[in-house]
Amino acid sequence: MPGTRAARRTREEVDATLQVAKLDAAELLPTAHCLAFGLGAHGGAGDVCLLELEPALCQQLEAGRSLVIRGDKEEQAVLCSKDKTYDLKVADTSNMLLFIPGCKTPDQLKMEESPCNIVHTELRRCRPRLKKLKKLLMGNTYEGPDSPKEKDSKCSKYTTEDLLDQIQASEEEIMTQLEVLKACVIRGYWRILEFDYEMKLLNHITQLVDSESWSFSKVPLNICLQELGPLEP
């Protein structure tokens, strides 16, 4: 409470609290950190989230990099760094109530006092959730520039930013999976070639290689693009 000095506890009181909390004193960290929030610092909802990070993620934040939380309303949120994905798990703990002198539960607060709900969240490394990536791209495969779908504005197309917003994975994991899916950027959008169209392109390439007597292991890319450009712009 403002203007009230926190009460000091004796060693016996601390030991008794540890026993109630079923904690071993030898396993406790030697340093305690006191967090103070000014009036209105925790926003209108009155919620504070304590997020436990591994040292590598702390170093990334200290270096000025960002961590991103991804997930639609019906999905469980994940936290992503540049190259890894983590599950966000709410850690069940009552230790904050046991160790904060004079701490009140929401039921004990007066009506005029603004409650502050503290949630302790920890991270667990998880596999990137990439099934949705293939589902999105397969919903509108590329059949060539003259396909009616290319003129239909209702057909969904996705930029890199769109995929980062919708896929629960880090940027590096998404880019790696796009390579696995053999997706390519066409007019700024990630697309997967429709099978028949891909076979059509492959047929053009094999005919050109055969006519020029090239080795399949040494096909000159620039010449190939120049020759096939008029056929498939």
Side-chain angles (χ1 to χ4, degrees):
M1 298 294 292
T4 302
R5 186 176 180 180
R8 294 181 178 273
R9 295 188 177 187
T10 65
R11 179 57 184 267
E12 290 74 16
E13 290 174 330
V14 172
D15 289 340
T17 304
L18 290 174
Q19 185 176 4
V20 172
K22 298 180 180 180
L23 296 175
D24 185 355
E27 297 179 354
L28 299 181
L29 297 176
T31 304
H33 298 277
C34 295
L35 303 179
F37 301 93
L39 294 177
H42 44 72
D47 292 333
V48 175
C49 180
L50 300 180
L51 182 60
E52 183 178 346
L53 299 178
E54 61 183 32
L57 291 179
C58 289
Q59 292 173 2
Q60 291 186 31
L61 288 178
E62 292 170 353
R65 299 177 184 175
S66 299
L67 301 177
V68 183
I69 296 177
R70 295 192 171 113
D72 291 334
K73 292 182 179 180
E74 66 276 8
E75 297 173 331
Q76 181 175 331
V78 299
L79 184 138
C80 300
S81 64
K82 185 70 174 179
D83 58 350
K84 295 181 178 64
T85 304
Y86 300 84
D87 267 328
L88 286 168
K89 298 290 186 180
V90 176
D92 294 329
T93 177
S94 60
N95 294 338
M96 285 179 288
L97 289 177
L98 290 172
F99 282 94
I100 300 179
C103 183
K104 295 182 179 180
T105 64
D107 295 336
Q108 295 172 325
L109 290 172
K110 298 178 181 179
M111 294 297 295
E112 65 272 11
E113 292 180 330
S114 176
C116 179
N117 300 318
I118 300 178
V119 179
H120 175 210
T121 305
E122 62 183 9
L123 302 180
R124 296 179 184 176
R125 180 73 188 279
C126 67
R127 299 178 64 180
R129 299 168 185 174
L130 297 167
K131 290 183 179 180
K132 186 177 179 180
L133 177 60
K134 183 177 181 180
K135 181 179 179 180
L136 292 178
L137 296 182
M138 290 300 294
N140 183 21
T141 54
Y142 186 72
E143 300 177 359
D146 298 327
S147 171
K149 292 196 302 182
E150 298 307 305
K151 301 176 183 179
D152 187 355
S153 59
K154 295 182 180 180
C155 292
S156 299
K157 300 176 184 177
Y158 303 94
T159 63
T160 300
E161 290 72 21
D162 294 332
L163 296 179
L164 289 174
D165 285 340
Q166 298 191 44
I167 305 302
Q168 292 186 291
S170 69
E171 183 174 353
E172 287 191 12
E173 290 167 332
I174 291 175
M175 292 302 169
T176 299
Q177 186 65 15
L178 286 171
E179 292 183 10
V180 173
L181 295 174
K182 299 180 180 179
C184 52
V185 178
I186 301 176
R187 297 185 179 92
Y189 298 97
W190 284 99
R191 309 293 297 276
I192 292 179
L193 300 183
E194 193 271 334
F195 180 77
D196 289 340
Y197 181 70
E198 184 177 1
M199 292 300 101
K200 178 182 177 182
L201 294 179
L202 182 59
N203 184 55
H204 287 323
I205 294 173
T206 54
Q207 288 182 359
L208 179 61
V209 170
D210 183 64
S211 65
E212 297 292 339
S213 299
W214 291 335
S215 169
F216 278 102
S217 61
K218 296 181 180 179
V219 178
L221 178 60
N222 291 333
I223 297 177
C224 187
L225 293 175
Q226 292 174 5
E227 294 291 333
L228 298 181
L231 296 176
E232 295 294 338

